[in-house]
Amino acid sequence: MPKLERIEEFKKSVHNKFNIYNSLFLSLPYRNIENVGMLIPLLGHQADKGLKSGKNPLEILDAFFQNYANIESEKDRIDFMFSIIQYVERQVVLYDSVEDAAFPKLQEHSNSLTIKDYGQIVEKNKSWDEISEKLSTFSARIVLTAHPTQFYTPAVLDIMDSLRSLIVDDKIDEIDLTLQQLGLTSLINAKKPTPLVEAKNIIHILRNVYYNAIGELYSYIKEHIQKQDFNNHNIMKLGFWPGGDRDGNPFVTAAMTNEVADELRTTLMKCYYHDLKALQQKLSFTDLQDLLNELREKLYVTMFNVQKIMGYEEIIDPLLKIREILINEYNSLYLKDLDQLIDKVKIFKTHFATLDIRQDHSVHKNTVTSILKQQGLIKENLDELGEENLIELLLRKNINVQYDDFEDDLVRDTIQNIGQLKNIQSKNGEEGCNRYAISNSEDIFSVLFVYGLLRWCGEWEEGKIPFDIVPLFETMNGMATSEDTMNGVFDLPEYRAHIRFRDNKQTIMLGFSDGTKDGGYVKANWSIFKTKEKLSAVCGQRDVKAIFFDGRGGPPARGGGKTHRFYAAQTKDIANNEIQLTIQGQTITSNYGTKDLFMHNCEQLLTAGLSNDLFGRENAISTEMRQLLEELSELSFAKYDSLKHHEKFMSYLEEKSTLKYYNKANIGSRPGKRGNKAKLELSDLRAISFVGSWSQLKQNVPGYFGIGTAIKTLKDRGRLNDVKQLFQEVPFFKALMLNSMMALSKCYFELTSYMKDDKEYGEFWNILHEEYMLSKEMLLLISDFKILMEEEAVSRESIKIREAIVLPLLVIQQYGLQKIAQGSEYKELYEKIVTRSLYGNINASRNSA
C-alpha cells in the first residue's frame, strides 16, 4: 500500500502542482519575448512525435519554425532558440523546487527505515548495548567537491529556497512574483568561476543548510538511540574539496587554498555568532551576561578579520561555564537550546568542513625529482638512485626545502602549499586540513613521495606528521596493484609508525571516476568491491582500521545511483568502520540541498552503513556466485573494451557529441582534460566531460554498455537461471543492475536516430543502439520486471517529467550540432547555442555527469 499511496502523493504534490505553476510560468512575458513560453509545450509535442516517427531534429525544427512559429530568417530562429533554452532552464528550476517542496509529504508514505525505526527494532531484539557501542564510534563523512556540474549562483539557490516555501503553502501571488524574479535572474556565470567562487557557492549551502541540518540530525540521533551519555560528535562529518583539489586544476594555488580555509572558518564564526545572538535573547539572566557578551564580541571580530583567530577552547569553555550556571542557578531554562549550540561547536569546532588536499602522483614525482636535483643527489631522474636508495631518502633524509629555490611554477606551488599546511591547522584546528589524497596511485611511491614531501616541506616534528596520506587507486591497474602497494608501505617501519600516530587508521580511495571509463561499468564496480575485500584483509592483518572513501555522489555511470543501496550491499569482508563519499555537481543540491533532504539522506547513509550490525545479517557471496560475477565482469569488459578501441570511438565523441563544448561552458574552473596534447586521448579525458557527453546524447553508454552482451552470452549457454538467482540473492549485483536501469531509463536513442544513416558514424551508432536494446531486454529478463525501475515508481515518474521538460532543449542542441557540421555562416552562434544547452540538461538529469 505505501507504494500506491506514495505515487498518488507524487501525482498530487509534484505532477499536478508543477503543471499548474508551469502554465503560470510559461505565460509570463520576459524582455519582449511574449508567446515564446506558450509555444514550448507545442514544440515539446512536435519534437516527441517527430523523433518517434524517425525524423531528424533538423526537419522537426525547420517544420516548427515554418508551420507554427512563423519565423523565416535564420537569425530570428537562432534568437528564438536562445529564448526557448532560457525558458527550459527555468522550468527545471521550478520543477526542482516543486519536487523538493513535496519531499516531506512523500516521505510519509516511504518504506525507508529511520534511526528511530532501527532503535525500536533493536529494542525488540534486546541487542541495544552492542548497537549503541557501534553508534558511539561509527562515522559518515560526505565530502563536497568542486566538479563543474553545479553552477547555480547563491541568488538562484535563494530563489529556489523561496519557491519551495511558497509552494508548500500554495501562496499563488507570491509564487507568481518569484517566478518573475526567476525569469529575470541569470542562471549562469558570466565568466568561468574561480576555485574561490566555486568554494563560496558551496560554503553558501554549508551556512544556509548544512550547519543547522547537521545540528538537528545530531539532536535527533541523540534523542532516539536511548543512550544518556551519547557524545559521538563525529557521527556525521563534512569534507571539502574546492580550493584544495588541485588535480588537473592549475587555478588552485597555495594562496587559493589558504583563502578558502579562511572563508570556511570565518563563515562558521558567523553561524556561531548568529546562534549566540538568538540564544542571548532567551538567556537574559544577570550572571550570564558578561560571559555571553565577551564571547559575542570575540566572535564578531573573527567574522571579518582573518588575522583574528579563536581556538576551539575559547569558544567551548565559556559555553560550558554558561551551561553550569544555567543548571545551578536558573532552573536549566533553555538548556536544550544551549546544548544544541554546544553540540554544533563540538561538531564543527573551528573548521566547519575538513579541507582536503588532492594532487596527481605525476606532480609529486616531478616535485621530488626537482628537489633531489637541486640538492645534487641526482643529475636527471630518479632511476639513477634505485628503489632502496630512493626509499631511504624519502623516509630518513632531512632536507630543508624552500619553494623560491625552484623555477617551475607547479613545483614551486606544490612546495609552497605543503609548507603552509601547518599554518592552516594552527588557524582552523588540525581537522581543518589533515588529509592528502593522491590521484592515479599505482605503487608505493605514490604514498612515499607525499610522505617525503610532508617531511621536507611541512616543518613538523620528526615522526609526528598530523596528516592522513590517502592513495586513490582509480585505474584498473592501480586497483590490481593496490594490495602490493599497501603491503609495501606497511612493511616500512617509518610509515607504520606514522599510521600508529594517526590512530591506526588508513584511508583509501578506490575506482572513483576513471575506473568506469577505464574498465566499463560492471568490471570497474566489481573490481572496486574485490579490492575493498583484499585491502580490508591487508589492513586487518596489520591491526590497522581500513576506511574506504568512495566517489559515490554522481551518476550510475560513475558508480553513483542509490547510495544507501550500495552501502547496505557490502559484505562482512569489507571493513565497515566509517563511510566516506564524495558528493559532487548537482547532487549537492538535488540530494542534500534542503534540510529535509540532507537529514533524510544522511540518516539513510548511517542506517545503510550499520544495517549488517543492526540486524546481524551477512551479505555473503558464495564461491559459485563470485565465479558468475567474474564471468559477467569479463564478458562485459570485453564488449566495452572493443567499443573503447573502435576506430571511431574518440572521433564520435569529438564530432557528434557536446564533448568539446564542456570546456567552453562557464560551468567550472577546472579544464575538461589533463595535459596539453594536441590529439585527445581517452586517458587524458576527465570523467565528467566523458560521462556528461554521453548523457547529453541521451545514450549513457558508461552506465550499461556490455551488460546486455554479458547476460545474453550466459543465457545462450543455458545459465539464465543462474543470473536470475544472482540478481535475487546478491545485494551487490542487484544494486549494480538497478543503478544501470536508471541509466537506461534516461536514454532516448530516438534523439540521434538520424545518425544511423551517417556514412562515417552510422555503423558505430548502431553498435551503441543494439547494446542499449539488448541490455534493456536482458535486465528486464533477469529481474522479471515488466518495465525498467519497476519498483521505483516515484523516481521513474520524476525522470519521465524531467526528460519531457528538456526534450525541446535537446532537439535544439542536435539542430545546432548539425548546423555547425554543415558550416553555417552563423557557426559561432550555433556553438553558443550548443554550449548553453548543456546547463538545463545537466540540472534536469540531476546525476548526469
Side-chain angles (χ1 to χ4, degrees):
M1 279 303 291
K3 285 184 182 178
L4 288 174
E5 290 168 357
R6 198 157 187 260
I7 196 67
E8 283 304 313
E9 185 62 51
F10 178 84
K11 286 176 182 173
K12 184 172 70 177
S13 299
V14 179
H15 184 271
N16 293 346
K17 276 196 176 183
F18 172 69
N19 284 339
I20 292 166
Y21 297 133
N22 188 42
S23 61
L24 174 68
F25 170 69
L26 291 177
S27 65
L28 294 172
Y30 299 114
R31 294 181 184 171
N32 302 317
I33 50 173
E34 293 91 343
N35 302 323
V36 170
M38 304 302 286
L39 287 170
I40 288 176
L42 181 58
L43 175 57
H45 176 72
Q46 291 299 310
D48 185 51
K49 190 172 78 170
L51 291 171
K52 283 176 177 170
S53 64
K55 287 184 178 175
N56 187 321
L58 277 173
E59 298 174 74
I60 293 167
L61 270 176
D62 283 340
F64 180 81
F65 289 134
Q66 194 169 345
N67 300 330
Y68 298 100
N70 297 317
I71 304 173
E72 293 299 326
S73 83
E74 190 167 6
K75 179 64 173 63
D76 288 344
R77 290 181 175 187
I78 290 170
D79 290 343
F80 179 85
M81 286 188 282
F82 271 118
S83 298
I84 293 285
I85 290 170
Q86 289 171 340
Y87 264 99
V88 170
E89 287 170 347
R90 286 160 178 79
Q91 277 182 289
V92 173
V93 172
L94 174 60
Y95 183 78
D96 282 348
S97 302
V98 171
E99 194 168 66
D100 291 346
F103 181 77
K105 281 191 176 180
L106 287 170
Q107 283 311 110
E108 291 173 13
H109 307 289
S110 171
N111 284 324
S112 56
L113 294 177
T114 64
I115 291 279
K116 183 180 177 181
D117 295 329
Y118 276 116
Q120 290 170 352
I121 292 166
V122 171
E123 184 68 19
K124 195 181 292 182
N125 295 338
K126 304 299 179 190
S127 57
W128 185 256
D129 288 345
E130 184 184 340
I131 301 311
S132 180
E133 182 62 31
K134 184 72 178 178
L135 277 167
S136 295
T137 57
F138 193 75
S139 179
R141 181 193 300 250
I142 60 170
V143 180
L144 308 160
T145 79
H147 289 311
T149 52
Q150 171 55 49
F151 41 79
Y152 284 150
T153 61
V156 174
L157 292 173
D158 286 341
I159 288 171
M160 290 174 74
D161 192 44
S162 297
L163 275 174
R164 281 191 289 264
S165 301
L166 296 169
I167 288 165
V168 167
D169 297 327
D170 287 320
K171 294 185 175 177
I172 193 78
D173 291 335
E174 291 175 61
I175 290 169
D176 179 48
L177 200 62
T178 309
L179 289 174
Q180 291 183 56
Q181 180 190 355
L182 175 65
L184 297 170
T185 301
S186 176
L187 265 66
I188 62 169
N189 302 303
K191 56 185 180 180
K192 277 187 179 290
T194 65
L196 182 61
V197 169
E198 288 174 329
K200 284 183 174 180
N201 284 352
I202 299 178
I203 290 171
H204 175 86
I205 301 170
L206 288 183
R207 180 181 181 182
N208 291 286
V209 180
Y210 296 179
Y211 173 73
N212 284 319
I214 286 186
E216 287 192 30
L217 179 66
Y218 184 81
S219 298
Y220 172 77
I221 292 168
K222 191 162 67 169
E223 183 184 340
H224 286 102
I225 73 159
Q226 304 172 20
K227 190 174 190 290
Q228 292 298 316
D229 58 345
F230 181 77
N231 65 349
N232 180 9
H233 291 94
N234 286 324
I235 196 164
M236 183 56 62
K237 296 186 284 191
L238 292 174
F240 201 81
W241 275 18
D245 180 11
R246 54 231 317 118
D247 176 18
N249 192 339
F251 307 111
V252 178
T253 61
M256 185 72 69
T257 300
N258 191 53
E259 225 176 327
V260 171
D262 285 341
E263 188 72 26
L264 281 164
R265 185 186 66 259
T266 54
T267 301
L268 178 61
M269 296 303 128
K270 289 171 187 172
C271 293
Y272 288 161
Y273 180 85
H274 180 270
D275 273 5
L276 191 65
K277 183 180 175 184
L279 189 61
Q280 193 169 8
Q281 291 176 346
K282 296 177 179 178
L283 303 183
S284 54
F285 317 124
T286 305
D287 291 347
L288 301 181
Q289 295 314 300
D290 286 347
L291 284 166
L292 287 165
N293 287 329
E294 186 181 351
L295 183 54
R296 267 186 71 178
E297 285 168 15
K298 284 184 177 179
L299 286 169
Y300 187 82
V301 172
T302 63
M303 285 160 50
F304 303 108
N305 187 344
V306 294
Q307 305 305 322
K308 299 292 183 181
I309 311 298
M310 280 187 81
Y312 168 65
E313 286 77 15
E314 289 181 83
I315 303 170
I316 198 68
D317 287 349
L319 290 172
L320 293 175
K321 282 180 189 173
I322 291 166
R323 187 179 195 276
E324 189 178 341
I325 296 169
L326 195 64
I327 293 170
N328 293 334
E329 298 183 27
Y330 295 104
N331 302 322
S332 300
L333 279 177
Y334 299 115
L335 182 62
K336 186 176 180 181
D337 300 76
L338 175 61
D339 279 346
Q340 284 176 345
L341 176 56
I342 288 171
D343 282 335
K344 284 178 185 174
V345 174
K346 287 182 176 180
I347 292 165
F348 300 115
K349 297 185 175 68
T350 53
H351 64 281
F352 213 163
T354 299
L355 181 60
D356 288 351
I357 307 298
R358 182 171 77 134
Q359 183 55 283
D360 191 78
H361 168 58
S362 61
V363 174
H364 302 136
K365 183 177 182 179
N366 186 41
T367 304
V368 169
T369 302
S370 299
I371 291 170
L372 296 183
K373 278 173 72 176
Q374 191 264 345
Q375 292 285 316
L377 294 166
I378 59 172
K379 290 181 180 178
E380 288 301 326
N381 61 63
L382 299 177
D383 294 338
E384 299 163 30
L385 288 169
E387 193 169 296
E388 284 188 21
N389 288 335
L390 180 55
I391 292 172
E392 174 73 24
L393 291 173
L394 293 166
L395 294 180
R396 302 171 194 109
K397 177 75 172 175
N398 290 323
I399 299 174
N400 191 311
V401 180
Q402 301 297 322
Y403 73 89
D404 47 12
D405 288 341
F406 300 87
E407 292 182 9
D408 183 281
D409 288 340
L410 192 49
V411 169
R412 284 168 63 93
D413 189 75
T414 303
I415 294 168
Q416 187 180 6
N417 183 56
I418 293 172
Q420 73 175 355
L421 297 178
K422 187 176 184 180
N423 184 48
I424 291 175
Q425 286 191 350
S426 73
K427 293 188 294 182
N428 289 28
E430 193 229 276
E431 288 178 72
C433 187
N434 64 0
R435 290 147 50 97
Y436 201 123
I438 307 124
S439 306
N440 282 307
S441 294
E442 297 202 344
D443 58 32
I444 62 168
F445 290 106
S446 307
V447 173
L448 296 185
F449 285 156
V450 171
Y451 182 82
L453 288 169
L454 288 168
R455 285 185 64 244
W456 298 338
C457 313
E459 298 182 13
W460 285 293
E461 187 181 337
E462 187 68 31
K464 294 185 177 178
I465 300 171
F467 253 81
D468 296 333
I469 300 172
V470 185
L472 165 49
F473 302 112
E474 54 190 319
T475 62
M476 300 307 294
N477 184 56
M479 283 188 278
T481 59
S482 62
E483 193 175 2
D484 290 339
T485 297
M486 295 317 300
N487 272 321
V489 293
F490 286 153
D491 282 340
L492 298 167
E494 288 82 358
Y495 189 76
R496 192 66 188 82
H498 171 68
I499 291 297
R500 279 194 294 273
F501 180 67
R502 299 301 293 162
D503 297 325
N504 264 331
K505 292 179 180 177
Q506 174 67 60
T507 303
I508 301 167
M509 299 174 71
L510 289 173
F512 223 55
S513 308
D514 286 334
T516 307
K517 189 184 75 176
D518 189 26
Y521 181 68
V522 179
K523 181 160 186 173
N525 280 283
W526 177 230
S527 296
I528 291 168
F529 193 90
K530 289 187 299 177
T531 305
K532 277 188 175 182
E533 291 183 326
K534 284 190 289 187
L535 294 180
S536 295
V538 167
C539 290
Q541 289 157 11
R542 312 280 183 146
D543 196 28
V544 173
K545 279 189 175 181
I547 295 168
F548 295 110
F549 180 8
D550 299 296
R552 297 295 310 166
R558 300 176 67 205
K562 298 288 184 181
T563 301
H564 63 277
R565 192 157 59 200
F566 167 80
Y567 285 109
Q570 306 288 279
T571 64
K572 62 179 174 54
D573 295 323
I574 292 175
N576 186 34
N577 301 302
E578 196 169 317
I579 283 176
Q580 297 190 4
L581 72 160
T582 58
I583 301 297
Q584 61 219 32
Q586 69 276 41
T587 312
I588 290 172
T589 46
S590 64
N591 285 4
Y592 297 86
T594 68
K595 189 173 71 175
D596 289 326
L597 278 166
F598 181 91
M599 290 180 68
H600 169 76
N601 282 299
C602 286
E603 192 176 8
Q604 291 301 294
L605 199 59
L606 289 168
T607 52
L610 291 165
S611 60
N612 291 345
D613 299 277
L614 288 163
F615 291 117
R617 185 175 60 203
E618 289 184 3
N619 290 327
I621 305 178
S622 68
T623 305
E624 292 77 18
M625 290 300 175
R626 281 180 176 273
Q627 181 57 41
L628 188 57
L629 264 166
E630 200 67 46
E631 287 183 61
L632 283 164
S633 165
E634 291 304 323
L635 288 166
S636 179
F637 174 67
K639 181 68 175 177
Y640 175 75
D641 199 47
S642 68
L643 181 77
K644 199 171 71 170
H645 289 100
H646 192 288
E647 60 176 353
K648 298 298 180 188
F649 186 78
M650 287 307 298
S651 63
Y652 178 82
L653 276 174
E654 287 187 280
E655 298 301 323
K656 291 295 185 181
S657 83
T658 57
L659 180 65
K660 65 182 77 167
Y661 299 97
Y662 265 82
N663 222 30
K664 295 181 180 183
N666 294 328
I667 294 175
S669 66
R670 196 165 67 173
K673 68 184 183 76
R674 295 180 175 97
N676 297 304
K677 295 176 191 170
K679 181 177 169 57
L680 183 63
E681 295 178 12
L682 183 60
S683 57
D684 297 325
L685 189 57
R686 290 211 165 273
I688 282 181
S689 43
F690 175 70
V691 172
S693 297
W694 290 115
S695 172
Q696 296 282 334
L697 281 167
K698 289 293 152 195
Q699 294 173 351
N700 292 336
V701 163
Y704 65 84
F705 199 90
I707 288 174
T709 293
I711 297 172
K712 176 73 161 55
T713 302
L714 289 175
K715 175 178 176 281
D716 291 346
R717 293 175 186 171
R719 300 183 63 192
L720 177 62
N721 286 335
D722 292 343
V723 184
K724 283 189 169 189
Q725 187 182 354
L726 187 68
F727 182 85
Q728 294 299 329
E729 295 181 7
V730 178
F732 164 74
F733 181 69
K734 184 173 183 178
L736 210 56
M737 295 302 101
L738 292 178
N739 282 346
S740 192
M741 285 188 193
M742 187 190 295
L744 287 162
S745 296
K746 294 180 180 180
C747 289
Y748 191 64
F749 271 82
E750 288 90 338
L751 180 69
T752 55
S753 64
Y754 69 91
M755 292 185 191
K756 67 184 177 211
D757 299 320
D758 188 284
K759 287 181 181 177
E760 188 173 356
Y761 295 106
E763 180 204 345
F764 186 81
W765 185 90
N766 278 310
I767 291 171
L768 304 179
H769 185 243
E770 284 166 14
E771 187 64 19
Y772 158 74
M773 295 297 289
L774 184 60
S775 296
K776 185 177 172 182
E777 180 190 346
M778 290 297 109
L779 284 177
L780 292 175
L781 188 62
I782 64 167
S783 63
D784 290 324
F785 290 174
K786 292 182 175 60
I787 54 173
L788 294 172
M789 299 180 70
E790 186 175 296
E791 295 177 342
E792 300 167 81
V794 167
S795 294
R796 191 177 67 243
E797 287 303 307
S798 178
I799 289 170
K800 191 174 170 184
I801 295 170
R802 289 173 178 279
E803 297 299 317
I805 291 170
V806 294
L807 187 59
L809 182 150
L810 292 167
V811 169
I812 287 170
Q813 185 183 91
Q814 286 297 317
Y815 184 91
L817 285 168
Q818 290 183 78
K819 285 288 188 179
I820 292 164
Q822 290 173 358
S824 166
E825 63 177 300
Y826 295 106
K827 182 185 175 187
E828 198 172 313
L829 285 174
Y830 282 118
E831 285 181 338
K832 285 182 180 176
I833 276 184
V834 172
T835 304
R836 184 62 186 272
S837 68
L838 298 173
Y839 298 85
N841 188 38
I842 288 171
N843 275 340
S845 295
R846 283 207 155 181
N847 62 355
S848 64

